Amino acid sequence: MTKIRRSIIDIFLVCKREFHLASRDMGVVLFFLALPIAYPILYALIYNREYVRDVAVVVVDDCRSQSSREYARRLDASQYTQIAGYAANMQEARRAMAQKDCYAIVHFPEDFEEHIGRGETAHLPIYCDMSLLLRYKSILMAQTDVTADMNADIQADVMQLAAMQGLSAGSGGIIPTVKSTQVAMGNTSMGLASALLPGILVLILQQSLVLGICMLAAGSRERARRNGGTDPMAIPTTATRSMIGKALCYTIIYIVPTIYILRFVPMFFSFPQNGHALDIMIFMIPFLLSTIFMGMVIQRFIHERETVFLLFVFTSILFLFLSGLSWPRYAMSPLWTAVGSCFPSTWAITGYVAMKSNGALLWQVTKPYAMLWLLTAAYFVIARLLNRKAGHAAA
């Protein structure tokens, strides 16, 4: 009973010490509080328009027909594109694209309306500047919408003409058509911010937490070097008690930032909010713990406070790419899929996006949830081995 009481007291003392150190270190305060508060707002404001509008397009109309003019008119009326002008030929249009006066060229061939009049497929080449995929997406969506609308109008005219001639569907004069309707699931606005920001919010939590932990450890080592190898702020206890006390401190600190980032920031910017708040918070518990213990592993290799900023620059892009936000994980090689599985953010993003955007319940994201608990245990064991000496653990 005395041993249990001693353990509880040591854990409490370590937790209290970490609170004291974190609150007095401006670098740690920056990572633990300022970064989680400011970064989500900054990112959300940058991507607030969701998608690119009014992409400049130049038209080369060699057909000069009613159909080509109607197509160009509808393209200009689309929210995604606008007609910046007409070019006499392709050479003039290419010069306009090279000068960034436009980002796409729509070329109507001479036989464009002729093919439509004969009921044949009319080909409409569109040349796009691929320097920014978001512009290409807007151009493609505008072209798809306008083409679908014009096809529907042409089919309606053909069917009306056939009806006037006394033809029926049974006699083969009218071909039944099927109209498809696009229904967006989760990300109903189909915007970039609603697709990327939920995952980036999780990355912000992980990065700020790991960097703050590493800065605290680097500060401890600096104090030890100034005091003959011993940190005067250290609590003499075992590695396990020290790790649990630190983890308790960091978890308590991050309750408010986690609620703010994952609950209120999406609310402020109208991101998808389909998940249950309680399920999401339960899901984030192993994420915070696994991130804390991962930070305790990484901190063993950080000896200077300045090194933390290099760690931030190096790991941010790595975690982003491996999370599956920029490229789907199923399309990665087995090596990079395995590497990405070693980081809590990968599984937290998978589960959080499924819950927040698509309304999944906790029992429907059991694999990411279980993997986060597995990473928690794995990183705890690794951190315990790296901090096996009581002196190191308390430092």
Side-chain angles (χ1 to χ4, degrees), residues 347-387:
W347 298 106
I349 289 173
T350 301
Y352 176 69
V353 172
M355 300 172 75
K356 196 68 173 178
S357 297
N358 299 324
L361 300 176
L362 185 61
W363 65 269
Q364 295 174 308
V365 291
T366 52
K367 181 178 179 180
Y369 190 60
M371 287 301 300
L372 287 173
W373 280 115
L374 179 62
L375 288 178
T376 299
Y379 279 121
F380 178 86
V381 172
I382 296 173
R384 176 65 181 83
L385 293 175
L386 292 175
N387 297 279

Side-chain angles (χ1 to χ4, degrees), residues 245-258:
K246 292 178 180 180
L248 178 61
C249 171
Y250 305 146
T251 302
I252 294 174
I253 291 175
Y254 260 73
I255 291 176
V256 173
T258 301

Side-chain angles (χ1 to χ4, degrees), residues 272-300:
Q273 301 181 65
N274 300 317
H276 294 283
L278 181 59
D279 284 352
I280 292 175
M281 293 308 301
I282 294 175
F283 178 81
M284 298 310 294
I285 291 174
F287 166 67
L288 291 177
L289 292 176
S290 58
T291 301
I292 289 169
F293 293 128
M294 182 179 71
M296 291 182 184
V297 172
I298 297 175
Q299 75 179 13
R300 299 308 307 167

Side-chain angles (χ1 to χ4, degrees), residues 167-288:
L167 298 177
S168 63
S171 61
I174 299 177
I175 302 176
T177 59
V178 176
K179 182 179 180 180
S180 61
T181 302
Q182 181 179 358
V183 179
M185 302 292 290
N187 182 6
T188 55
S189 66
M190 296 186 292
L192 180 66
S194 296
L196 291 182
L197 261 297
I200 292 178
L201 295 178
V202 175
L203 278 175
I204 291 173
L205 277 175
Q206 175 177 281
Q207 288 299 87
S208 63
L209 183 51
V210 169
L211 296 175
I213 291 172
C214 290
M215 182 163 283
L216 282 171
S220 175
R221 288 187 176 87
E222 290 180 355
R223 290 192 299 272
R225 285 194 294 268
R226 293 194 299 265
N227 292 273
T230 302
D231 182 3
M233 299 294 294
I235 303 297
T237 186
T238 64
T240 301
R241 295 173 187 174
S242 179
M243 289 171 56
I244 294 175
K246 292 178 180 180
L248 178 61
C249 171
Y250 305 146
T251 302
I252 294 174
I253 291 175
Y254 260 73
I255 291 176
V256 173
T258 301
I259 296 175
Y260 164 75
I261 289 179
L262 301 184
R263 178 64 179 172
F264 290 100
V265 171
M267 185 185 304
F268 295 157
F269 293 94
S270 300
F271 296 152
Q273 301 181 65
N274 300 317
H276 294 283
L278 181 59
D279 284 352
I280 292 175
M281 293 308 301
I282 294 175
F283 178 81
M284 298 310 294
I285 291 174
F287 166 67
L288 291 177

